Amino acid sequence: MKAAVVTFPGSNCDRDMAVALEQVMGRAPVRIWHGEAQLPDGLDLIALPGGFSYGDYLRSGAMAANSPIMRAVIEQANRGVPVLGICNGFQVLTEAGLLPGALMRNAGQTFICRTVRLRVENARTMFSAGYAEGGEIRIPVAHHDGNYFADDETLDRLEGEGRVVFRYLDATNGSRRDIAGIVNGAGNVLGMMPHPERAIDPAHGGTDGRALFEAALSNSVNA
């Protein structure tokens, strides 16, 4: 197994992501700086971590989406390599056009940091195959701009195509239709606001996030 974690200026969950991947894979992921132009060959997973890339100036994730490494990330995503964007990583994926919609300021205008309940809406993706469809999991959130927005036509398409993977069970941030995570049309790019990398060890208070990494890595095109 071979994974990469991309770090942008302002990322602050890249180490957490790297530790989580090492625990699941048994080997440390490759660390990639945003200014690099190439990714290693044979990756089984590319992870875009949480944080506040470029200080969230302009819009959250907007400047990071134009980093040099994102051209390689988009190329790999289009080849079918799994790409996982958590929190700020989700924002980067929408700004890069790999996922539809946008992440806006939380409806309550405050930073939210707590564990939330999610329903697994689709357990037939490469990321969610380790969960029971319709099951409930508990994953931490920590964000200020996690309010997912898309127009009605886009939301209907996401719902109809089974691309809503996770949904909040309780009011969290104002996301339309309580969407917490979505995949692209090919199913190999997942963006989600909750942090599964903070729920893979009993010491975290829960292990519901671990199945996501195990499924993504085992179902990779390069696995």
Side-chain angles (χ1 to χ4, degrees):
M1 294 288 180
K2 188 176 181 181
V5 177
V6 178
T7 299
F8 302 95
S11 295
N12 63 10
C13 299
D14 46 337
R15 182 182 179 280
D16 292 351
M17 183 73 79
V19 170
L21 286 168
E22 183 170 0
Q23 286 195 24
V24 173
M25 293 191 301
R27 61 180 291 190
V30 180
R31 305 294 295 273
I32 305 291
W33 180 238
H34 79 112
E36 297 182 36
Q38 301 292 329
L39 287 163
D41 293 331
L43 289 174
D44 298 296
L45 178 70
I46 301 167
L48 307 186
F52 305 91
S53 58
Y54 292 92
D56 280 350
Y57 288 112
L58 186 59
R59 293 184 306 276
S60 299
M63 296 176 71
N66 289 283
S67 288
I69 196 60
M70 284 306 297
R71 289 192 288 273
V73 171
I74 292 169
E75 179 183 343
Q76 292 288 309
N78 289 336
R79 290 184 50 237
V81 175
V83 177
L84 172 63
I86 302 296
C87 196
N88 188 226
F90 186 11
Q91 296 160 347
V92 174
L93 291 175
T94 60
E95 293 290 342
L98 285 172
L99 291 173
L103 281 308
M104 305 191 307
R105 185 66 44 90
N106 293 341
Q109 303 295 308
T110 58
F111 189 90
I112 298 169
C113 184
R114 65 173 186 264
T115 296
V116 300
R117 299 187 306 138
L118 303 176
R119 181 168 59 236
V120 180
E121 294 289 350
N122 182 356
R124 288 158 285 133
T125 77
M126 64 167 54
F127 300 95
S128 57
Y131 299 114
E133 188 154 312
E136 177 183 326
I137 60 175
R138 294 172 60 85
I139 303 288
V141 297
H143 58 251
H144 197 265
D145 297 277
N147 181 356
Y148 182 74
F149 177 85
D151 60 34
D152 288 336
E153 180 180 354
T154 299
L155 292 171
D156 289 343
R157 186 173 70 252
L158 290 172
E159 302 268 14
E161 295 175 354
R163 292 167 57 187
V164 177
V165 182
F166 300 110
R167 199 185 309 270
Y168 300 109
L169 282 172
D170 304 297
T172 300
N173 51 26
S175 290
R176 296 203 69 190
R177 304 189 188 181
D178 294 320
I179 288 173
I182 60 172
V183 288
N184 66 341
N188 66 304
V189 178
L190 170 69
M192 61 187 294
M193 289 308 298
H195 287 264
E197 79 279 14
R198 298 183 184 179
I200 68 160
D201 189 285
H204 294 159
T207 59
D208 285 353
R210 189 179 185 93
L212 186 148
F213 293 100
E214 292 174 341
L217 289 163
S218 65
N219 290 312
S220 168
V221 293
N222 293 317

